[in-house]
Amino acid sequence: MDNLKTHDQNADQVAYWNGPAGQRWADRQAAQDVLLKPVADLVADRAQLKPGERVIDVGCGSGATAIAFAQKVAPSGHVFGIDISGPMLERARQSAPKDLPIDFALADATVYPFDPESFDVLASRFGVMFFADPALSFANMRKALKPSGRLAFACWREPRENPFFMAPLMAAYKHVPKLPQIGPEDPGPFAFASETRVRRILGEAGFTGVEMEACPLLLDAAIGRGLDGAVQGALEIGPVSRALEGQPEELRVAAAASIREALTPFAKGDAVLLPASVWIVTARAS
């Protein structure tokens, strides 16, 4: 992890995203890009990116959003993608067209020494919910923005608003123990589900004009591959894969059958359209 300097409290996340889980996400890059494109499109639209602007893509993962942002700010703009996952950044570097103005850095945005007041936009698709001290992290990132800079990111709303996650997970729980309970302010997919918490974090970090837009979606968990594809995706990545990790094969098979049953009502041809809901959060640097 070539001299990755991190905040001590982010050590668990660094270990997770540089281990087998990070590799699984990198391996599923093409599928995830298709699945989450509606969210990436929302972020890009609300960020109002213009040619010539400089953008930080926080938690850029395997590079899909950085590439999309760079296409909007090219040729004179620039995108700086930052992530703590070595496997995902390797995929990002492989995927990014050579003619686009993108650079990537394996780094922790909590402590990374950004050039002060040098970026126009801070943007992210699901890359900001994993900081141990998010107010500290956002304060550091805000320093990189010009006084006229702006923020736009996507985060998941409450679990009850997201059958996309919960339908397959509840089916798996019929056969395996539940995952350890995560506190509402612990790093994780739903760490920014609370509107009150997000506003508090961004306010403490110095952002103003915070707006939170609830965006309901239908996400194709099958990405056009039918029920088999949706079940396979649930088993390979996300909370179901964590719940089934280390479980005997017979329980995995039983869980897969229950997941298939739970997802059948959402199947429409080759698609499996699961309701999901995200916040699109926007704010100003000052």
Side-chain angles (χ1 to χ4, degrees):
M1 291 184 286
D2 50 281
N3 299 319
L4 173 57
K5 295 180 181 179
T6 69
H7 189 276
D8 290 345
Q9 290 180 308
N10 292 331
D12 288 347
Q13 292 294 322
V14 172
Y16 179 82
W17 292 106
N18 285 282
Q23 188 61 57
R24 284 196 297 270
W25 278 86
D27 291 343
R28 277 187 58 86
Q29 173 247 330
Q32 291 301 108
D33 289 353
V34 174
L35 175 63
L36 297 178
K37 186 177 185 299
V39 182
D41 289 346
L42 281 171
V43 174
D45 178 75
R46 302 310 190 266
Q48 299 180 331
L49 301 176
K50 305 175 187 66
E53 290 191 317
R54 290 170 50 81
V55 183
I56 301 173
D57 183 1
V58 185
C60 64
S62 295
T65 47
I67 293 168
F69 298 159
Q71 289 168 339
K72 290 185 176 293
V73 302
S76 55
H78 184 263
V79 174
F80 180 54
I82 185 170
D83 204 288
I84 59 171
S85 174
M88 296 176 77
L89 275 184
E90 183 178 348
R91 183 59 60 93
R93 291 179 174 122
Q94 293 169 354
S95 301
K98 303 305 180 190
D99 61 340
L100 281 180
I102 309 177
D103 286 316
F104 295 102
L106 180 67
D108 180 352
T110 307
V111 296
Y112 185 81
F114 296 101
D115 291 335
E117 298 188 1
S118 59
F119 289 89
D120 301 286
V121 182
L122 180 65
S124 181
R125 182 201 67 187
F126 300 140
V128 298
M129 301 97 72
F130 302 98
F131 297 116
D133 187 340
L136 179 68
S137 304
F138 272 99
N140 186 53
M141 292 185 283
R142 189 180 70 85
K143 293 175 186 175
L145 291 174
K146 300 173 183 177
S148 60
R150 57 198 189 275
L151 168 71
F153 67 80
C155 57
W156 297 107
R157 296 181 69 216
E158 296 85 350
R160 66 175 178 271
E161 302 283 350
N162 280 286
F164 171 74
F165 279 104
M166 302 312 295
L169 185 59
M170 291 299 106
Y173 280 163
K174 294 178 180 178
H175 307 279
V176 298
K178 291 187 176 182
L179 291 166
Q181 187 73 27
I182 297 177
E185 299 206 0
D186 291 340
F190 298 108
F192 276 28
S194 164
E195 180 176 2
T196 301
R197 183 179 189 234
V198 172
R199 291 183 179 279
R200 170 167 53 85
I201 288 168
L202 294 180
E204 290 176 1
F207 286 92
T208 64
V210 177
E211 299 287 346
M212 298 184 64
E213 177 186 1
C215 295
L217 300 164
L218 286 175
L219 296 179
D220 180 11
I223 55 170
R225 299 180 301 165
L227 272 170
D228 288 344
V231 173
Q232 180 184 356
L235 296 175
E236 287 182 353
I237 203 168
V240 170
S241 70
R242 293 198 294 276
L244 295 180
E245 191 170 352
Q247 296 294 334
E249 183 61 23
E250 60 268 22
L251 288 185
R252 294 179 62 86
V253 170
S258 290
I259 292 169
R260 184 182 181 89
E261 181 181 356
L263 297 186
T264 296
F266 300 99
K268 306 289 183 186
D270 289 332
V272 178
L273 300 172
L274 288 169
S277 191
V278 303
W279 291 116
I280 300 296
V281 182
T282 55
R284 298 187 300 275
S286 61

